[in-house]
């Protein structure tokens, strides 16, 4: 399996918020979002000015969020600040998942502060106090310190996203990120679901790792960072 259905993955945030993550969904007409303390992702059913105005009603002045889509009309209520091209990659069923090599432990929601602190080193602002509620998270500890972690973010029917993969700078180069990804993939295989992920098109180091593990690129989508102007 080397496909991610267009009907779900062209607008994955919308798909997640209307299926497996409906419990998080905050909606207004054609717009929806995750709560700000969960993740900074929003979506609209179609790229229309009306939908963007409805999205504006879900934001607070000065708030910045991310939305997936090729292009959007300009509306005075929202400022489009930057774009980020990302790859959607999937782990084909024929790729063998190796046995565990390091001790990996579950990370309960109570350990969210440790998770936020670690992810803020790698990608500040994306992982928030309730992001860990989006799925299962796991970590590697040394001397009681959380030194590497990973888990699930967007979850569509049959497709949990591998995300939040990061390692403390003092412990990089030891294969911890790969071990965490394999741990998630192993769990997904047991559950009969498909592992996939998003990665920035400019993150050559991560893309190289994912390709080496057997992940294949399915499509590229555009993320837009937008800010509520008033």
């Amino acid at each position: 399996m080397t496909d991610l259905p267009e009907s779900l993955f062209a607008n994955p945030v919308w798909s997640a918020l209307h299926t497996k993550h409906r419990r998080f969904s905050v909606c207004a007409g054609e717009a929806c979002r995750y709560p700000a303390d969960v993740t900074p992702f929003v979506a609209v059913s179609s790229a229309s000015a009306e939908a963007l105005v409805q999205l504006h009603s879900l934001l607070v002045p000065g708030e910045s969020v991310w939305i997936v889509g090729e292009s959007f009309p300009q509306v005075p209520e929202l400022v489009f600040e930057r774009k980020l091209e990302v790859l959607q990659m999937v782990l084909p069923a024929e790729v063998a998942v190796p046995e565990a090599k390091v001790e990996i432990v579950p990370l309960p929601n109570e350990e969210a502060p440790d998770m936020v602190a670690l992810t803020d080193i790698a990608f500040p602002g994306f992982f928030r106090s309730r992001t860990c509620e989006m799925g299962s998270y796991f970590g590697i500890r040394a001397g009681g310190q959380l030194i590497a972690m990973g888990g699930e973010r967007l979850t569509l029917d049959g497709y949990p996203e591998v995300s939040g993969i990061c390692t403390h700078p003092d412990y990089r180069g030891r294969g911890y990120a790969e071990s965490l990804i394999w741990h998630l993939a192993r769990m997904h295989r047991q559950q009969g679901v498909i592992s996939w992920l998003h990665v920035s098109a400019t993150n050559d180091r991560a893309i190289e790792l994912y390709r080496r593990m057997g992940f294949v690129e399915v499509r590229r989508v555009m993320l837009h960072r937008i800010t509520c102007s008033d």
Side-chain angles (χ1 to χ4, degrees):
M1 204 291 297
T2 57
D3 185 34
L4 295 172
E6 180 80 15
S7 60
L8 293 178
F9 287 86
N11 197 354
V13 176
W14 179 272
S15 297
L17 285 171
H18 285 79
T19 55
K20 303 295 283 187
H21 277 175
R22 188 176 285 110
R23 67 187 184 278
F24 294 116
S25 186
V26 181
C27 296
E30 296 182 54
C32 62
R33 66 167 297 170
Y34 283 92
D37 58 356
V38 175
T39 192
F41 287 111
V42 303
V44 291
S45 62
S46 62
S48 68
E50 180 182 4
L52 292 177
V53 171
Q54 292 169 338
L55 174 60
H56 170 263
S57 72
L58 300 177
L59 307 178
V60 299
E63 182 179 9
S64 294
V65 292
W66 293 85
I67 187 169
V68 177
E70 288 305 309
S71 62
F72 295 91
Q74 296 296 311
V75 295
E77 296 87 351
L78 300 173
V79 178
F80 283 77
E81 297 180 331
R82 58 174 290 210
K83 297 180 181 179
L84 178 65
E85 185 181 36
V86 296
L87 280 61
Q88 291 179 346
M89 304 183 74
V90 66
L91 186 67
E94 60 268 21
V95 174
V97 177
E99 295 298 318
K101 296 181 180 179
V102 298
E103 182 182 4
I104 294 174
V105 298
L107 296 177
N109 293 346
E110 292 75 18
E111 297 184 23
D114 287 349
M115 291 185 255
V116 172
L118 180 58
T119 54
D120 273 351
I121 298 174
F123 34 82
F126 274 96
F127 199 98
R128 305 199 170 170
S129 61
R130 294 179 57 212
T131 302
C132 55
E133 297 178 19
M134 297 177 75
S136 298
Y137 279 83
F138 301 90
I140 298 172
R141 291 187 175 275
Q145 177 188 2
L146 183 63
I147 60 170
M149 62 166 282
E152 301 166 321
R153 188 172 59 180
L154 299 181
T155 302
L156 290 67
D157 284 322
Y159 299 92
E161 179 193 18
V162 174
S163 185
I165 305 295
C166 61
T167 303
H168 190 282
D170 293 344
Y171 293 89
R172 288 175 183 162
R174 306 185 190 188
Y176 291 156
E178 184 172 351
S179 293
L180 285 158
I181 297 168
W182 283 131
H183 181 81
L184 289 160
R186 196 177 304 115
M187 181 180 72
H188 292 163
R189 292 283 176 85
Q190 293 170 352
Q191 296 171 345
V193 295
I194 303 298
S195 304
W196 68 285
L197 55 82
H198 281 120
V199 58
S200 169
T202 61
N203 192 344
D204 295 334
R205 182 175 180 180
I207 293 172
E208 180 183 0
L209 168 63
Y210 300 147
R211 292 192 189 282
R212 187 170 71 246
M213 295 178 69
F215 282 85
V216 296
E217 177 184 340
V218 177
R219 69 176 58 80
R220 299 186 177 215
V221 297
M222 196 67 69
L223 272 172
H224 301 257
R225 186 176 187 266
I226 57 178
T227 296
C228 180
S229 61
D230 59 13

